[in-house]
Amino acid sequence: MNPSLSSATAAFHQEALQTLQQIEDWTLSSIHNPSAVMEQQAETFRLLHSLKGTAASFGNESIAQVCHAIENVLDDKTQLKTQDSEALLMAIDYCRHILSNSPLSPEQHDEHRDECIARLNKLVNDPNSANQTQPGEPSGSVWQIDFAPYARFFENGHDPLRIIRSLRNFGPIKVSVFTEKLPEFADFDPFQCYLRWQITLKAELDYHQLAAQFEWVKHICDVTIDILALPQKKRVIEPNRYKLNEANLEALLTVSQTLQSQLQQTVALTNQLNQTDKIRLSRRNHAMKRQQQLLQQQLLHIAMCPLADAFARLPRMAFDLANKTAKPVQLNMDIAPIELDSFIVNSLIDPLTHLLRNAMAHGIEVAEHRQQQGKPLTGQIHISAEQAEDQLIIRFSDDGAGLAEDKILVKAKQMGINIQDLSDKPKISEWIFRAGFSTSQSADAISGRGVGLDVVKQHVTDMGGDIELVSNQGRGCCFIIKIPVLRSLMDVQLIRIKDQTVALPLIHLIDSYLWDNARVIWLNGKQWFITDENQQVPLIDVGRFLQLPDTERNEQFAHILLVNVDKRFFALCVDSMAEQMHLLIKSLRPHYHHINGIKGIAILPEGDLALLLDSSKLLMSYEMVSGN
Amino acid sequence: MSSNSHSDKDIYQVMLLNHQHYAVPVKSIISVLALEKILSLPDTPNWVTGVVHVRNAIVPVVNLSFLFEIDSLSDESRHPLLVLLRHPHDSQRWLALCLTDITQLIDTEQLAETSLRSSPHPCVKHVVDIDSQPLHLLDISKLFEQLMKDPG
């Protein structure tokens, strides 16, 4: 296999999946806010068109055809209805299946594709659209087309280049032009065609689809279409032939970090060399450091993935479940923009899926019940995920019925649980995490088999975490999941304080200002900063918080950072600002205990370490010291 | 030597820090490294010098002189080595000791012949005399325990 082709295909797959996600997000948003979202239709159309073209270039004709059918729908609609959204989502799912090498046979794939296209075509007013996109059985995958227009080809305004370009829509082409009939300049007639072309096209197509491109000119040209390669009937599903498990990856990361340390130590040795050798070795050292950093980046790229990936499928799931259960629901998510170990992100997918199904089955009530209780007809599910100290905290809440305590007690008795204190709410919350504990009368496709919350708890426990449930009968419930995080990737602002580099999570930074005495005031024994909005916010000396030795601050370089934590504003004074970076953050655990106000240790590109401030703990600690 | 059948458990590594001698079981040593740049931590006792990034882990560095209140001087040039230790019962937990030098290996048989003194600190199992010098035999488990105690 050509490795460059392989990596290009992998990049195409990744980009295509991202594009599909964007199109799905747009489709789902259009359900709740049709008018606002239709303004973004042009962008969605552009994404689709781009995906169609790229898919065709990579020989993925099925995706190109499905995209084309979606384009027809969007072209025809000014506002999506529910059946439009459903057909679009079905088509998006199909494309995802294709990209993820799903274990379907080619026949099943074709059937699925045709079903998608037929459903999309039904939505379009144009009755001929089905014929435009419905393909026949592919009869070849590589084609050679000899195209020799007659001399009078141009007479009716035909353009051979337009036909050649149209072939590009099917897949990549190679074109050779033959000029043997080209006369001497004196005999040249610009109204006659002297050229012929040979085109090699790589696309799995039906012969008639290809021949149709020449339908209008077949009387004024000679066209021969030959099959150079038959279609690949059976898609070979290749398992991952490389073995890279967690232990291998950890070992590689350790090697990379050790290499970094050793390279740093060689810098000191260069001082013992003469000037020429010192320069030579420094250059080599610099080049090796660069290579080590690239190695580290690649390894981290494998080891980590965005936390948001764990939640990516939930909006679509909520939409499907809402349709299935006839319970309108709005899912709101607030996910911190950090990257965590792929192990954690992947392990979260199942528990989150269970929780959503559980919320839809047992939590959110049907519209009539909600109306009777004075609740909005559309149920609300809120999910937030953030890293606090060295833990990932996920809050999964709904405004549904909450725990049915009476039913739980009955079920608990049936299961032989010794019930002593009926008012012991924490115990009731714990029981529902037991295997087989479901109060649902019947099992359906969504839940009720008693399998679910015990599995959720098992997943969370396997990650070293914990789950608890807070319920308010009639008002909803909230699951709180806490998972220890030993490392993450985070965008940070580096700052300098008393000759030490310190990192601040960029997500909390609102603005930065040069030190301005006019905006700093003393009041009640505390320093305050006046913001642009003329608000007075506490000014915290980070150096003092970190117990760094007092030194004179050079106000020429000093900065004030305006920070927002949970809508609470405060300011930090620092000696100077440095770069913003995407850095690896490590926890002090398991080798040391947590330190208040320190979220973790940031690893700088050269291998040096920096403290990562915990903005919320910093404010809390300030408030405690100042007696608030 | 009277025996060739010593296990690692019986062998101790003697280490020097600011003219004081300490010993740890060889078995608990992961590696000896040149001193890395140490990052100081706020809100920690003075005997926790800070943390270093070794073997892809953030590891706390302990200064025994401060822990045992033997010496109050802090000068990194006096202890250019780090010895990385693992917990006796949990190989995933590490700590590093900063040192001036590492010297000889001794076995428990040699120690048995030396006179014992009372232990000055819970993290020291025994103090024995070797060549008229007090040698502190460290209790690694207690050292880890001490480290994980949250001062807050």
Side-chain angles (χ1 to χ4, degrees):
Chain A
M1 185 189 285
N2 179 347
S4 61
L5 183 67
S6 166
S7 63
T9 309
F12 158 64
H13 277 214
Q14 198 177 355
E15 278 174 26
L17 286 168
Q18 280 171 3
T19 304
L20 288 168
Q21 186 62 51
Q22 284 171 284
I23 298 169
E24 185 179 274
D25 289 345
W26 174 82
T27 310
L28 292 170
S29 310
S30 72
I31 295 160
H32 296 295
N33 195 357
S35 54
V37 169
M38 290 316 277
E39 289 167 14
Q40 298 155 17
Q41 183 161 340
E43 172 62 10
T44 307
F45 204 90
R46 191 191 62 72
L47 288 170
L48 263 172
H49 198 71
S50 165
L51 176 60
K52 182 173 86 169
T54 329
S57 335
F58 277 87
N60 221 319
E61 200 57 34
S62 299
I63 292 183
Q65 286 165 359
V66 169
C67 286
H68 182 73
I70 301 177
E71 275 180 351
N72 286 343
V73 173
L74 295 188
D75 224 6
D76 194 57
K77 306 275 175 184
T78 50
Q79 198 159 321
L80 292 183
K81 293 177 184 165
T82 309
Q83 69 264 32
D84 301 328
S85 305
E86 283 172 358
L88 255 59
L89 292 171
M90 180 187 175
I92 291 166
D93 280 348
Y94 167 74
C95 295
R96 279 206 186 101
H97 275 295
I98 293 270
L99 292 167
S100 59
N101 274 344
S102 71
L104 293 179
S105 67
E107 291 75 22
Q108 286 172 310
H109 264 304
D110 292 346
E111 197 182 317
H112 194 173
R113 177 199 58 202
D114 295 348
E115 193 188 335
C116 285
I117 293 174
R119 194 164 168 188
L120 289 165
N121 285 340
K122 261 190 199 169
L123 303 170
V124 182
N125 292 331
D126 179 6
N128 296 321
S129 60
N131 297 334
Q132 287 168 7
T133 53
Q134 195 75 27
E137 186 71 21
S139 44
S141 63
V142 183
W143 305 81
Q144 185 173 296
I145 304 146
D146 286 298
F147 175 37
Y150 299 160
R152 58 187 173 89
F153 190 84
F154 298 138
E155 276 176 14
N156 293 318
H158 293 299
D159 179 1
L161 291 182
R162 187 191 57 77
I163 297 170
I164 294 170
R165 283 193 199 110
S166 73
L167 296 176
R168 280 202 190 125
N169 291 332
F170 293 117
I173 57 172
K174 274 186 188 170
V175 183
S176 307
V177 62
F178 295 88
T179 57
E180 72 274 5
K181 286 188 183 170
L182 204 62
E184 291 297 317
F185 189 72
D187 302 324
F188 185 82
D189 179 355
F191 295 101
Q192 290 209 4
C193 183
Y194 300 104
L195 304 177
R196 68 181 177 92
W197 289 267
Q198 190 176 68
I199 305 138
T200 311
L201 166 67
K202 198 175 170 191
E204 290 203 357
L205 285 178
D206 171 26
Y207 173 86
H208 298 290
Q209 273 180 284
L210 199 48
Q213 303 300 312
F214 297 92
E215 185 62 30
W216 298 102
V217 292
K218 63 183 181 187
H219 58 291
I220 44 170
C221 69
D222 289 326
V223 178
T224 51
I225 300 173
D226 295 318
I227 295 170
L228 297 185
L230 291 169
Q232 193 180 355
K233 277 286 180 191
K234 283 191 177 174
R235 194 184 300 270
V236 180
I237 299 165
E238 294 181 356
N240 188 357
R241 287 176 293 182
Y242 301 98
K243 43 177 189 177
L244 185 67
N245 60 27
E246 206 184 333
N248 299 142
L249 195 55
E250 280 308 310
L252 285 171
L253 279 164
T254 304
V255 169
S256 169
Q257 196 277 319
T258 308
L259 186 61
Q260 187 177 49
S261 296
Q262 287 171 353
L263 281 170
Q264 261 192 335
Q265 285 166 11
T266 59
V267 175
L269 297 176
T270 58
N271 293 330
Q272 297 164 15
L273 300 172
N274 65 44
Q275 196 59 21
T276 314
D277 289 342
K278 186 177 173 179
I279 291 170
R280 279 183 187 158
L281 191 61
S282 296
R283 280 185 187 155
R284 293 288 161 113
N285 192 284
H286 189 74
M288 285 191 284
K289 267 188 187 168
R290 179 75 194 126
Q291 293 302 314
Q292 184 277 328
Q293 283 171 14
L294 289 173
L295 171 66
Q296 181 84 355
Q297 279 172 13
Q298 287 298 320
L299 290 172
L300 288 176
H301 180 70
I302 298 169
M304 318 286 276
C305 59
L307 172 61
D309 283 4
F311 302 82
R313 301 294 298 148
L314 298 185
R316 171 62 189 280
M317 243 189 85
F319 172 81
D320 289 343
L321 289 170
N323 278 348
K324 222 174 255 181
T325 57
K327 294 175 181 175
V329 71
Q330 187 166 2
L331 177 66
N332 308 292
M333 298 203 294
D334 181 14
I335 312 300
I338 53 171
E339 289 181 51
L340 298 180
D341 269 292
S342 303
F343 158 73
I344 293 181
V345 174
N346 291 327
S347 303
L348 279 172
I349 294 173
D350 278 352
L352 290 169
T353 305
H354 274 304
L355 288 182
L356 184 59
R357 293 169 86 89
N358 188 68
M360 290 302 293
H362 304 300
I364 303 293
E365 312 93 329
V366 291
E368 300 82 65
H369 283 191
R370 293 182 65 85
Q371 199 168 23
Q372 284 164 11
Q373 290 167 37
K375 290 182 178 179
L377 290 185
T378 302
Q380 299 290 320
I381 296 178
H382 291 269
I383 305 175
S384 71
E386 57 168 345
Q387 190 183 344
E389 298 179 351
D390 45 11
Q391 281 189 321
L392 171 67
I393 299 183
I394 299 170
R395 291 184 181 85
F396 192 115
S397 58
D398 66 65
D399 69 343
L403 288 183
E405 289 171 16
D406 46 347
K407 285 185 185 175
I408 289 173
L409 288 169
V410 171
K411 180 74 184 180
K413 277 181 190 168
Q414 284 171 4
M415 289 181 73
I417 297 171
N418 185 19
I419 302 165
Q420 289 180 340
D421 186 357
L422 299 185
S423 62
D424 194 353
K425 279 197 176 182
K427 270 191 181 166
I428 293 177
S429 305
E430 281 167 26
W431 292 339
I432 64 159
F433 290 113
R434 290 194 178 199
F437 200 104
S438 173
T439 57
S440 191
Q441 296 297 316
S442 60
D444 55 27
I446 300 173
S447 69
R449 288 182 176 80
V451 178
L453 290 181
D454 61 315
V455 177
V456 171
K457 182 157 188 167
Q458 189 59 51
H459 275 286
V460 174
T461 313
D462 288 348
M463 288 184 269
D466 194 19
I467 182 167
E468 58 182 285
L469 171 61
V470 181
S471 170
N472 193 340
Q473 198 162 359
R475 303 279 296 275
C477 59
C478 177
F479 289 90
I480 302 161
I481 299 174
K482 293 178 183 171
I483 294 160
V485 171
L486 293 181
R487 66 179 169 206
S488 58
L489 283 169
M490 194 182 284
D491 288 322
V492 298
Q493 169 70 56
L494 295 179
I495 47 185
R496 299 279 302 165
I497 306 160
K498 323 268 187 206
D499 296 327
Q500 191 167 323
T501 302
V502 177
L504 179 76
L506 196 57
I507 193 172
H508 295 145
L509 182 63
I510 303 296
D511 212 341
S512 63
Y513 308 83
L514 273 169
W515 182 272
D516 180 359
N517 278 324
R519 299 177 72 161
V520 176
I521 56 167
W522 279 95
L523 196 65
N524 301 331
K526 284 185 280 183
Q527 250 182 330
W528 301 82
F529 174 69
I530 310 295
T531 67
D532 286 345
E533 287 75 33
N534 216 23
Q535 275 186 320
Q536 185 180 305
V537 298
L539 180 61
I540 302 175
D541 187 336
V542 184
R544 195 163 292 172
F545 173 77
L546 296 175
Q547 300 164 0
L548 298 174
D550 263 337
T551 51
E552 192 75 17
R553 172 170 289 126
N554 186 341
E555 290 182 355
Q556 195 185 343
F557 301 107
H559 276 74
I560 291 174
L561 309 183
L562 186 61
V563 178
N564 173 13
V565 178
D566 297 333
K567 296 180 185 162
R568 297 170 71 198
F569 293 87
F570 61 99
L572 302 175
C573 57
V574 301
D575 291 350
S576 63
M577 303 262 291
E579 304 97 313
Q580 291 180 355
M581 287 185 164
H582 191 61
L583 291 183
L584 176 64
I585 310 297
K586 290 195 169 182
S587 163
L588 284 166
R589 293 181 201 273
H591 305 296
Y592 196 53
H593 58 75
H594 176 73
I595 295 175
N596 201 23
I598 302 300
K599 210 172 189 141
I601 305 294
I603 318 292
L604 302 179
E606 296 283 316
D608 291 342
L609 305 179
L611 296 170
L612 177 71
L613 292 179
D614 187 332
S615 314
S616 55
K617 284 289 159 66
L618 192 67
L619 179 62
M620 212 183 286
S621 168
Y622 167 82
E623 286 174 341
M624 273 175 69
V625 171
S626 53
N628 288 2
Chain B
M1 298 291 278
S2 57
S3 167
N4 291 325
S5 62
H6 290 152
S7 68
D8 280 350
K9 195 179 174 183
D10 304 322
I11 301 174
Y12 277 69
Q13 174 69 58
V14 179
M15 312 172 303
L16 188 66
L17 175 65
N18 301 341
H19 310 294
Q20 299 290 326
H21 290 83
Y22 301 93
V24 292
V26 166
K27 202 179 148 187
S28 60
I29 297 177
I30 300 169
S31 66
V32 179
L33 311 154
L35 181 71
E36 303 275 330
K37 278 185 190 167
I38 297 179
L39 176 72
S40 305
L41 299 173
D43 205 16
T44 49
N46 70 339
W47 51 269
V48 178
T49 311
V51 286
V52 284
H53 192 204
V54 289
R55 296 196 172 206
N56 203 27
I58 301 292
V59 180
V61 179
V62 171
N63 186 323
L64 295 174
S65 298
F66 286 172
L67 178 62
F68 302 147
E69 296 172 356
I70 291 170
D71 194 345
S72 59
L73 288 174
S74 175
D75 178 5
E76 284 184 10
S77 64
R78 294 172 66 194
H79 33 81
L81 294 179
L82 280 181
V83 60
L84 191 61
L85 303 177
R86 68 164 69 86
H87 192 282
H89 311 300
D90 181 358
S91 61
Q92 302 300 308
R93 281 174 60 194
W94 302 345
L95 66 80
L97 300 176
C98 53
L99 298 169
T100 309
D101 202 359
I102 52 172
T103 58
Q104 80 233 55
L105 291 171
I106 53 170
D107 62 46
T108 44
E109 202 170 278
Q110 272 178 284
L111 295 177
E113 293 160 8
T114 60
S115 58
L116 281 173
R117 296 191 199 177
S118 62
S119 167
H121 192 276
C123 294
V124 176
K125 266 185 192 164
H126 308 292
V127 181
V128 295
D129 277 334
I130 289 208
D131 302 331
S132 315
Q133 292 282 339
L135 173 67
H136 300 76
L137 299 181
L138 298 179
D139 186 330
I140 306 291
S141 297
K142 291 269 171 60
L143 207 51
F144 273 93
E145 243 174 64
Q146 185 84 22
L147 195 60
M148 292 305 276
K149 273 183 197 164
D150 192 335

Coordinates of all heavy atoms in Angstrom, one line a residue, chain B residues 62-108:
Chain B
V62 N 12.3 15.0 48.1 CA 12.3 15.1 49.5 C 13.8 15.4 49.9 O 14.7 14.8 49.4 CB 11.9 13.8 50.3 CG1 12.2 13.9 51.7 CG2 10.4 13.6 50.0
N63 N 13.9 16.4 50.8 CA 15.3 16.7 51.4 C 15.3 16.2 52.8 O 14.6 16.7 53.7 CB 15.5 18.2 51.4 CG 16.9 18.6 51.8 OD1 17.5 18.0 52.7 ND2 17.4 19.6 51.2
L64 N 16.1 15.1 53.0 CA 16.1 14.4 54.3 C 16.6 15.2 55.4 O 16.2 15.1 56.5 CB 16.9 13.1 54.2 CG 16.3 12.0 53.2 CD1 17.2 10.8 53.1 CD2 14.9 11.5 53.7
S65 N 17.6 16.1 55.0 CA 18.2 17.0 56.1 C 17.1 17.9 56.7 O 17.1 18.1 57.9 CB 19.2 17.9 55.4 OG 20.3 17.1 54.9
F66 N 16.2 18.3 55.9 CA 15.1 19.2 56.4 C 14.1 18.3 57.2 O 13.6 18.7 58.2 CB 14.4 20.0 55.3 CG 15.3 21.1 54.8 CD1 14.8 21.8 53.6 CD2 16.4 21.5 55.4 CE1 15.6 22.8 53.1 CE2 17.2 22.5 54.8 CZ 16.8 23.2 53.7
L67 N 13.8 17.1 56.6 CA 12.8 16.3 57.2 C 13.3 15.9 58.7 O 12.5 15.9 59.6 CB 12.6 15.0 56.4 CG 11.6 14.0 56.9 CD1 10.2 14.6 57.1 CD2 11.6 12.8 56.0
F68 N 14.6 15.6 58.8 CA 15.1 15.1 60.1 C 15.6 16.3 60.9 O 16.2 16.1 62.0 CB 16.2 14.0 59.9 CG 15.7 12.8 59.1 CD1 16.5 12.1 58.3 CD2 14.4 12.4 59.2 CE1 16.0 11.0 57.6 CE2 13.9 11.3 58.5 CZ 14.7 10.6 57.7
E69 N 15.5 17.5 60.4 CA 15.9 18.7 61.0 C 17.4 18.6 61.4 O 17.8 19.0 62.6 CB 15.0 19.0 62.2 CG 13.6 19.3 61.8 CD 12.6 19.4 62.9 OE1 13.0 19.2 64.1 OE2 11.5 19.7 62.7
I70 N 18.2 18.1 60.5 CA 19.6 18.0 60.8 C 20.4 19.2 60.2 O 21.3 19.7 60.8 CB 20.2 16.7 60.1 CG1 19.6 15.5 60.8 CG2 21.7 16.6 60.1 CD1 19.8 14.1 60.1
D71 N 19.9 19.7 59.1 CA 20.6 20.8 58.5 C 19.6 21.8 58.0 O 18.6 21.4 57.4 CB 21.4 20.2 57.3 CG 22.5 21.2 56.8 OD1 22.4 22.4 57.1 OD2 23.3 20.7 56.0
S72 N 19.8 23.0 58.1 CA 18.9 24.0 57.6 C 19.3 24.7 56.3 O 18.7 25.6 55.8 CB 18.5 25.0 58.7 OG 19.7 25.7 59.0
L73 N 20.5 24.3 55.8 CA 21.0 24.9 54.6 C 20.3 24.3 53.4 O 20.1 23.1 53.3 CB 22.5 24.7 54.5 CG 23.4 25.5 55.5 CD1 24.8 25.1 55.3 CD2 23.2 27.0 55.3
S74 N 20.0 25.2 52.4 CA 19.4 24.7 51.2 C 20.2 25.2 50.0 O 20.2 26.4 49.7 CB 18.0 25.2 51.1 OG 17.5 24.8 49.9
D75 N 21.0 24.3 49.5 CA 21.8 24.7 48.3 C 21.9 23.5 47.4 O 22.4 22.5 47.7 CB 23.2 25.1 48.8 CG 24.1 25.5 47.7 OD1 23.6 25.5 46.5 OD2 25.3 25.7 47.9
E76 N 21.2 23.7 46.2 CA 21.1 22.6 45.3 C 22.5 22.0 44.8 O 22.6 20.9 44.5 CB 20.3 23.0 44.1 CG 18.8 23.0 44.4 CD 17.9 23.4 43.2 OE1 18.4 23.4 42.0 OE2 16.7 23.6 43.4
S77 N 23.5 22.9 44.8 CA 24.8 22.5 44.3 C 25.4 21.4 45.3 O 26.3 20.7 44.9 CB 25.7 23.7 44.2 OG 26.0 24.2 45.4
R78 N 24.9 21.4 46.5 CA 25.4 20.4 47.5 C 24.7 19.1 47.4 O 25.2 18.1 48.0 CB 25.2 21.0 48.9 CG 25.9 22.2 49.2 CD 25.5 22.8 50.6 NE 25.9 21.9 51.7 CZ 25.5 22.1 52.9 NH1 24.6 23.0 53.2 NH2 25.8 21.2 53.8
H79 N 23.7 19.0 46.6 CA 23.1 17.7 46.4 C 22.7 17.5 44.9 O 21.5 17.7 44.6 CB 21.9 17.4 47.3 CG 21.1 18.6 47.7 ND1 20.1 19.1 46.9 CD2 21.1 19.4 48.8 CE1 19.6 20.2 47.5 NE2 20.2 20.4 48.6
P80 N 23.7 17.2 44.1 CA 23.4 17.2 42.6 C 22.7 15.9 42.1 O 22.5 15.8 40.9 CB 24.8 17.3 42.1 CG 25.7 16.7 43.1 CD 25.1 16.9 44.4
L81 N 22.4 15.0 43.0 CA 21.9 13.7 42.5 C 20.4 13.5 43.1 O 20.1 14.1 44.1 CB 22.7 12.5 43.1 CG 24.1 12.4 42.5 CD1 24.8 11.2 43.1 CD2 24.1 12.2 41.0
L82 N 19.7 12.8 42.3 CA 18.4 12.4 42.7 C 18.3 10.9 42.7 O 18.7 10.2 41.7 CB 17.3 12.9 41.7 CG 16.8 14.3 41.8 CD1 15.8 14.5 40.7 CD2 16.3 14.6 43.2
V83 N 17.8 10.3 43.8 CA 17.6 8.8 43.7 C 16.1 8.6 43.7 O 15.3 9.2 44.6 CB 18.3 8.1 44.9 CG1 17.8 8.5 46.3 CG2 18.1 6.6 44.8
L84 N 15.6 7.9 42.7 CA 14.2 7.7 42.5 C 13.8 6.4 43.2 O 14.4 5.3 42.9 CB 13.9 7.6 41.0 CG 12.5 7.7 40.6 CD1 11.8 8.9 41.0 CD2 12.4 7.5 39.0
L85 N 12.9 6.5 44.2 CA 12.5 5.3 45.0 C 11.0 4.9 44.7 O 10.2 5.7 44.4 CB 12.6 5.6 46.5 CG 13.9 6.0 47.0 CD1 13.8 6.4 48.5 CD2 15.0 5.0 46.8
R86 N 10.8 3.6 44.7 CA 9.4 3.1 44.6 C 8.9 2.7 46.0 O 9.6 2.3 46.8 CB 9.3 2.0 43.6 CG 10.0 0.7 44.0 CD 9.5 -0.4 43.1 NE 9.9 -0.3 41.7 CZ 11.1 -0.7 41.3 NH1 12.0 -1.3 42.1 NH2 11.5 -0.6 40.0
H87 N 7.6 2.7 46.1 CA 6.9 2.3 47.3 C 7.1 0.8 47.4 O 6.9 0.0 46.4 CB 5.4 2.6 47.3 CG 4.7 2.5 48.6 ND1 4.3 1.2 49.1 CD2 4.3 3.4 49.5 CE1 3.7 1.4 50.2 NE2 3.7 2.7 50.5
P88 N 7.4 0.2 48.6 CA 7.6 -1.2 48.8 C 6.5 -2.1 48.3 O 6.6 -3.2 47.9 CB 7.9 -1.4 50.2 CG 8.2 -0.1 50.8 CD 7.6 0.9 49.9
H89 N 5.2 -1.5 48.5 CA 4.1 -2.4 48.2 C 3.3 -1.9 47.0 O 2.2 -2.4 46.7 CB 3.1 -2.5 49.4 CG 3.9 -2.8 50.7 ND1 4.6 -4.0 50.8 CD2 4.1 -2.1 51.8 CE1 5.1 -4.0 52.0 NE2 4.9 -2.9 52.6
D90 N 3.7 -0.7 46.4 CA 2.9 -0.2 45.3 C 4.0 0.4 44.3 O 4.4 1.6 44.5 CB 1.9 0.9 45.8 CG 1.1 1.5 44.6 OD1 1.4 1.1 43.5 OD2 0.3 2.3 44.9
S91 N 4.3 -0.4 43.3 CA 5.4 0.1 42.4 C 5.0 1.3 41.6 O 5.8 1.8 40.9 CB 5.7 -1.1 41.5 OG 4.6 -1.5 40.7
Q92 N 3.7 1.7 41.6 CA 3.3 2.9 40.8 C 3.5 4.2 41.6 O 3.3 5.2 41.0 CB 1.8 2.7 40.4 CG 1.4 1.5 39.7 CD 2.2 1.4 38.3 OE1 2.2 2.4 37.6 NE2 2.9 0.3 38.1
R93 N 3.9 4.1 42.9 CA 4.1 5.3 43.6 C 5.6 5.5 43.8 O 6.3 4.7 44.3 CB 3.4 5.2 45.0 CG 1.9 5.4 44.9 CD 1.2 5.1 46.2 NE 1.7 6.0 47.2 CZ 1.4 5.8 48.5 NH1 0.7 4.8 48.9 NH2 1.9 6.6 49.4
W94 N 6.0 6.8 43.5 CA 7.4 7.1 43.5 C 7.7 8.3 44.3 O 6.8 9.2 44.4 CB 8.0 7.3 42.1 CG 7.8 6.2 41.1 CD1 7.5 4.9 41.4 CD2 7.9 6.3 39.7 NE1 7.4 4.2 40.3 CE2 7.7 5.0 39.2 CE3 8.2 7.3 38.8 CZ2 7.7 4.7 37.8 CZ3 8.2 7.0 37.5 CH2 8.0 5.8 37.0
L95 N 8.9 8.5 44.8 CA 9.4 9.7 45.3 C 10.9 9.8 45.0 O 11.5 8.8 44.7 CB 9.1 9.9 46.8 CG 9.8 9.0 47.8 CD1 11.2 9.4 48.2 CD2 9.0 9.0 49.1
A96 N 11.4 11.0 45.1 CA 12.9 11.2 44.9 C 13.5 11.8 46.1 O 12.9 12.7 46.7 CB 13.0 12.1 43.6
L97 N 14.8 11.4 46.4 CA 15.5 12.0 47.4 C 16.7 12.8 46.8 O 17.3 12.3 45.8 CB 16.1 10.9 48.3 CG 15.2 10.0 49.0 CD1 16.0 8.9 49.8 CD2 14.2 10.7 50.0
C98 N 16.9 14.0 47.2 CA 18.1 14.7 46.7 C 19.3 14.4 47.6 O 19.2 14.2 48.8 CB 17.8 16.2 46.6 SG 17.3 17.0 48.1
L99 N 20.4 14.2 46.9 CA 21.6 13.6 47.6 C 22.9 14.4 47.1 O 22.9 14.9 46.0 CB 21.8 12.2 47.2 CG 20.7 11.2 47.6 CD1 20.9 9.9 46.9 CD2 20.7 11.0 49.1
T100 N 23.9 14.2 48.0 CA 25.2 14.8 47.6 C 26.0 13.7 46.8 O 26.6 14.0 45.8 CB 26.0 15.2 48.9 OG1 25.2 16.0 49.7 CG2 27.3 15.9 48.5
D101 N 25.8 12.4 47.3 CA 26.6 11.4 46.6 C 26.0 10.0 47.0 O 25.3 9.9 48.0 CB 28.1 11.4 47.1 CG 29.0 10.7 46.1 OD1 28.5 10.2 45.0 OD2 30.2 10.7 46.3
I102 N 26.3 9.0 46.2 CA 26.0 7.6 46.7 C 27.3 6.9 46.9 O 28.3 7.1 46.1 CB 25.1 6.9 45.7 CG1 25.6 6.9 44.3 CG2 23.7 7.4 45.8 CD1 24.8 6.0 43.4
T103 N 27.4 6.1 47.9 CA 28.7 5.6 48.3 C 28.7 4.0 48.1 O 28.8 3.6 47.0 CB 29.2 6.0 49.7 OG1 28.2 5.6 50.6 CG2 29.4 7.5 49.8
Q104 N 28.7 3.3 49.2 CA 28.9 1.9 49.1 C 27.6 1.1 49.3 O 26.6 1.6 49.7 CB 29.9 1.4 50.1 CG 29.3 1.2 51.5 CD 30.1 1.9 52.5 OE1 30.3 3.2 52.5 NE2 30.5 1.2 53.5
L105 N 27.7 -0.2 48.9 CA 26.6 -1.1 49.2 C 27.0 -1.9 50.5 O 28.1 -2.3 50.7 CB 26.4 -2.1 48.1 CG 25.9 -1.6 46.7 CD1 26.0 -2.7 45.7 CD2 24.4 -1.1 46.9
I106 N 26.0 -2.1 51.3 CA 26.3 -2.9 52.5 C 25.2 -4.0 52.7 O 24.1 -3.8 52.1 CB 26.3 -2.1 53.8 CG1 25.0 -1.2 53.9 CG2 27.5 -1.2 53.9 CD1 24.9 -0.6 55.3
D107 N 25.5 -5.1 53.4 CA 24.5 -6.0 53.6 C 24.1 -6.1 55.1 O 24.8 -5.6 55.9 CB 24.9 -7.4 53.1 CG 26.1 -7.9 53.8 OD1 26.1 -7.9 55.0 OD2 27.0 -8.4 53.1
T108 N 22.9 -6.7 55.3 CA 22.4 -6.7 56.7 C 23.3 -7.4 57.7 O 23.3 -7.1 58.9 CB 21.0 -7.3 56.7 OG1 21.1 -8.5 56.0 CG2 20.0 -6.4 56.2

